[in-house]
Amino acid sequence: MKPKILITRKIADEVVSKISEVCEVDMWPDEERPIPREILEKKVEDIEGIFCLITETIDEKLLNNAPKLKVISNMAVGHNNIDINVAKERGITVTNTPGVLTETTADLTFALLMATSRRIIEASNFIRNGNWKAWAPMQLTGQDVFGTTIGIIGMGRIGEAVARRAKGFDMKVLYYNRNRKHDIEEMLGVHYTDMDTLLQQSDFVVIMAPYTPETNNLISHRELSLMKNSAILINTARGGIVDEDALYQALKNNGIWAAGLDVFATEPVPFDHPLLTLPNVVTLPHIGSASIRTRIKMAHLAADNLINGVTGKIPAHVVV
Ligand code: DGY
């Protein structure tokens, strides 16, 4: 008998076919919206594997309902939506999809950095709103990228990929990480600093750290006050790493110059969120890894992890 698994969102047919060769598949049919929690709680009762997204909270309560569960395959590199400790206690394997999204997420991070520094969204809206009457010397002037200093908080795979891009812009790269990365320093000529120095010296502060209890509100009033008035904060990691109230104050009071945000503490970010009222914020709906090719690769990798997990093999990317 094939093991029963649940896929919590409609995903590409080719990926479903692959999983169906090995598993009995129950797939939530909506592509855009998450499976409602009460349905999810019911559906996990007799499954051995779950293919889930960052929109599903896999907590103790849900795991209590899933006595047969062997593997949780998250189609994401981040896994803060899953209670790793409870999963581990129960011997449930948790997997993620690192690697395949590195370059795509670094591209988007740089796109956000360029868009905020050169006011791309504002400038585009300036024309569309009929405001372009004449070329003017200081019209829509922004901040330079080339030759400036970037500070990367979290030098994992994506941080390194952002550093490589920054080098192409002749930027000085500072980084802060729990562990110093001598190999990357040697390879890319990046400089390790403490957090405060990074915040004080960088023209761009880019958050690439995982979201954990330790990084919750890592960037708050004090940290923002250390940044230059001309500095730009970019977050493509997780919203909870930045204290959004503190960020709003800093942006409104010219404490920092701009912010580019792909992620929010609550997603979808409420339409009336104060940050959305500021012209110096570029906001995106968590699309860091959203290229067609990468999202398909992520789905395949999550499928392979799931299949291996339910068939007793060791998946390629085990978190716990
Ligand atoms: C991840 O992989 O963690 C992203 O946030 C979603 O692609």
Side-chain angles (χ1 to χ4, degrees):
M1 230 172 46
K2 288 178 176 178
K4 274 185 103 171
I5 67 98
L6 173 67
I7 307 176
T8 60
R9 196 77 64 90
K10 182 173 173 3
I11 55 167
D13 290 344
E14 65 186 71
V15 182
V16 182
S17 305
K18 172 156 94 177
I19 300 174
S20 301
E21 281 173 22
V22 184
C23 305
E24 187 186 326
V25 174
D26 180 7
M27 181 169 72
W28 183 248
D30 199 323
E31 201 174 333
E32 295 300 324
R33 274 186 292 191
I35 181 169
R37 175 72 189 198
E38 57 291 0
I39 298 179
L40 180 61
E41 281 179 9
K42 272 254 39 78
K43 280 188 181 284
V44 295
E45 278 170 2
D46 61 345
I47 58 166
E48 291 183 47
I50 184 167
F51 178 121
C52 58
L53 312 182
I54 55 171
T55 44
E56 278 76 61
T57 303
I58 312 291
D59 54 11
E60 182 163 16
K61 182 161 183 269
L62 191 87
L63 294 177
N64 286 343
N65 279 15
K68 297 186 186 166
L69 197 59
K70 289 185 187 154
V71 57
I72 302 166
S73 173
N74 212 30
M75 190 185 126
V77 64
H79 43 74
N80 53 294
N81 56 312
I82 302 168
D83 191 328
I84 299 295
N85 295 328
V86 177
K88 193 175 173 187
E89 253 168 52
R90 301 190 183 180
I92 301 169
T93 303
V94 177
T95 66
N96 67 344
T97 59
V100 291
L101 48 65
T102 301
E103 301 300 335
T104 304
T105 308
D107 282 350
L108 192 278
T109 304
F110 235 81
L112 206 43
L113 186 152
M114 300 292 286
T116 42
S117 56
R118 297 302 301 274
R119 303 171 63 181
I120 300 298
I121 310 296
E122 257 183 287
S124 175
N125 289 338
F126 183 74
I127 297 184
R128 286 166 188 253
N129 296 335
N131 294 327
W132 194 23
K133 305 297 180 210
W135 188 92
M138 295 307 283
Q139 188 173 73
L140 287 162
T141 44
Q143 303 288 349
D144 272 327
V145 175
F146 186 85
T148 59
T149 298
I150 185 172
I152 301 174
I153 300 175
M155 189 50 81
R157 290 183 181 87
I158 306 173
E160 182 188 333
V162 170
R164 273 192 270 111
R165 282 157 181 75
K167 282 286 162 189
F169 282 78
D170 208 18
M171 295 168 101
K172 178 173 180 186
V173 182
L174 308 179
Y175 80 98
Y176 172 76
N177 198 61
R178 266 181 316 182
N179 318 309
R180 204 167 157 178
K181 301 275 182 94
H182 292 281
D183 51 338
I184 298 176
E185 285 177 34
E186 219 161 276
M187 196 168 60
L188 295 177
V190 302
H191 309 276
Y192 180 78
T193 65
D194 58 82
M195 255 296 253
D196 286 2
T197 306
L198 181 148
L199 293 165
Q200 282 160 342
Q201 294 188 357
S202 299
D203 299 297
F204 297 89
V205 172
V206 178
I207 300 171
M208 306 261 64
Y211 185 48
T212 62
E214 292 75 46
T215 61
N216 181 50
N217 282 348
L218 181 71
I219 303 296
S220 190
H221 294 282
R222 193 189 78 82
E223 291 70 28
L224 290 160
S225 73
L226 293 177
M227 288 172 65
K228 299 179 187 178
N229 299 120
S230 56
I232 295 175
L233 181 76
I234 304 293
N235 189 5
T236 53
R238 285 293 183 268
I241 300 174
V242 176
D243 174 344
E244 290 178 345
D245 293 336
L247 178 62
Y248 174 77
Q249 296 302 333
L251 288 162
K252 189 144 178 71
N253 303 325
N254 303 319
I256 67 168
W257 201 72
L261 306 172
D262 184 41
V263 289
F264 296 88
T266 300
E267 295 183 0
V269 61
F271 188 58
D272 59 356
H273 195 293
L275 282 170
L276 305 190
T277 64
L278 299 175
N280 51 347
V281 178
V282 176
T283 53
L284 298 176
H286 203 145
I287 57 166
S289 61
S291 76
I292 299 166
R293 194 169 56 173
T294 291
R295 284 286 167 87
I296 297 288
K297 279 191 195 168
M298 287 166 70
H300 272 292
L301 189 50
D304 294 341
N305 286 336
L306 177 83
I307 292 168
N308 284 328
V310 290
T311 55
K313 300 187 194 97
I314 297 174
H317 299 287
V318 173
V319 179
V320 290

